[in-house]
Amino acid sequence: MRLAAVGDLHVKKSSQGQLQPLLAAVNDHADVLLLCGDLTDYGLKEEATILARELTAAVRIPIVAVLGNHDYESGQPEEVVRILTEAGVKVLDGEAHEIRGVGIAGAKGFSGGFGRATLGAWGEPATKRFVQEALDEAIKLEGALARLRTESRIALLHYSPVRMTVEGEPEEIMTFLGTSRLEEPINRHPVDMVFHGHAHHGSLEGRTSAGIPVYNVAMPLLLQKFPGRPPFRVVEVSAAPTSETAGINQPPIGSAATGTENG
Ligand SMILES: [Fe+2]
Ligand SMILES: [Fe+2]
């Protein structure tokens, strides 16, 4: 089964009509479209409605999504979820979803840093709450993965579980681009591959410490690295052992940068 993945669409009130030409090619090149959060720019109902319209008009394959931090900005992520769900998008927040024998576990994730630089739950209550949020998201992902009985398993995130795919971003903001706490359940279960976004200026590919492929599919990154090509990554997964193929799609279509600077 061919999976197309992209994150960080950052749909704005002015985005009407802009996404359709970018995503129309997905129908010919993939069987499922995965959306890795920051679907809207401010988490507004108007933005979600525009996105729902664009997806309905352009995409004829199943769509599975997680939200990103931008989708929370207006304090009504449940409205974003409702509008997308009504448009047929399966939005995961610690849930698992199966399509044709492939299991997808989705959660937004959170930040907190990587490796030895991972923020610890120590000191002020605010620091402990921050770390608890990351732990809670890791537990959500773990729960979703544990429910999957499929041979092939995919982890769908907004934040990165590894440092490798956020390399290229300023050193000062690494802590806010993801956390190794998300890597533990991914290695433990283990999944076939991970897709995430959020790091607009990160790196395309990395691996977890257990060797699981991790793809950063933030749209601004894909547009920058593969100019003139459709802004989604296509990777093949089978019910048997996983085989990675092609990478980015071949047929060129017009590109239009839609990213923002702040993840
Ligand atoms: Fe983000
Ligand atoms: Fe983003």
Side-chain angles (χ1 to χ4, degrees):
M1 189 166 79
R2 299 162 302 166
L3 306 169
V6 60
D8 302 271
L9 309 177
H10 287 272
V11 167
K12 304 172 180 64
K13 289 181 185 174
S14 59
S15 297
Q16 184 83 50
Q18 290 177 10
L19 209 56
Q20 286 184 46
L22 291 173
L23 290 182
V26 80
N27 303 304
D28 297 328
H29 296 278
D31 304 299
V32 178
L33 174 62
L34 307 175
L35 299 177
C36 295
D38 283 0
L39 311 176
T40 63
D41 207 30
Y42 281 85
L44 295 168
K45 282 196 275 187
E46 298 92 318
E47 294 172 339
T49 301
I50 290 168
L51 172 60
R53 250 185 246 143
E54 296 283 295
L55 291 173
T56 304
V59 182
R60 297 189 304 276
I61 56 176
I63 306 172
V64 184
V66 294
L67 298 189
N69 53 318
H70 277 247
D71 303 309
Y72 280 73
E73 169 58 19
S74 297
Q76 47 186 1
E78 65 284 349
E79 284 298 303
V80 175
V81 171
R82 180 184 62 77
I83 291 163
L84 292 176
T85 302
E86 284 175 7
V89 179
K90 183 73 186 173
V91 184
L92 303 178
D93 179 22
E95 289 109 16
H97 185 60
E98 290 181 21
I99 299 178
R100 285 167 45 186
V102 174
I104 302 158
K108 174 177 61 62
F110 198 59
S111 53
F114 304 98
R116 284 164 56 194
T118 303
L119 184 63
W122 200 91
E124 297 94 322
T127 304
K128 289 175 179 169
R129 283 197 299 275
F130 186 92
V131 172
Q132 190 59 49
E133 184 72 17
L135 289 168
D136 289 346
E137 287 292 318
I139 290 166
K140 272 191 201 175
L141 179 63
E142 166 107 53
L145 287 169
R147 283 195 289 281
L148 286 176
R149 292 289 172 264
T150 50
E151 254 188 80
S152 295
R153 290 185 294 276
I154 309 296
L156 185 60
L157 292 164
H158 180 59
Y159 289 85
S160 178
V162 295
R163 187 187 155 103
M164 221 179 286
T165 48
V166 305
E167 299 275 1
E169 294 277 6
E171 193 68 34
E172 295 82 354
I173 66 166
M174 289 290 178
T175 306
F176 305 107
L177 298 175
T179 178
S180 299
R181 294 184 191 280
L182 299 166
E183 185 182 11
E184 291 162 21
I186 289 167
N187 281 342
R188 201 177 310 132
H189 274 277
V191 303
D192 292 88
M193 64 190 77
V194 183
F195 295 100
H196 74 85
H198 190 55
H200 294 196
H201 306 287
S203 301
L204 291 169
E205 294 178 25
R207 285 186 184 273
T208 70
S209 57
I212 294 166
V214 179
Y215 299 97
N216 178 354
V217 294
M219 186 186 270
L221 181 67
L222 296 181
L223 289 170
Q224 184 213 327
K225 299 287 187 187
F226 302 99
R229 293 192 188 176
F232 45 80
R233 192 85 200 242
V234 178
V235 182
E236 195 158 328
V237 65
S238 63
T242 306
S243 71
E244 184 185 330
T245 57
I248 200 84
N249 277 296
Q250 297 308 316
I253 64 168
S255 69
T258 56
T260 60
E261 293 303 310
N262 57 345

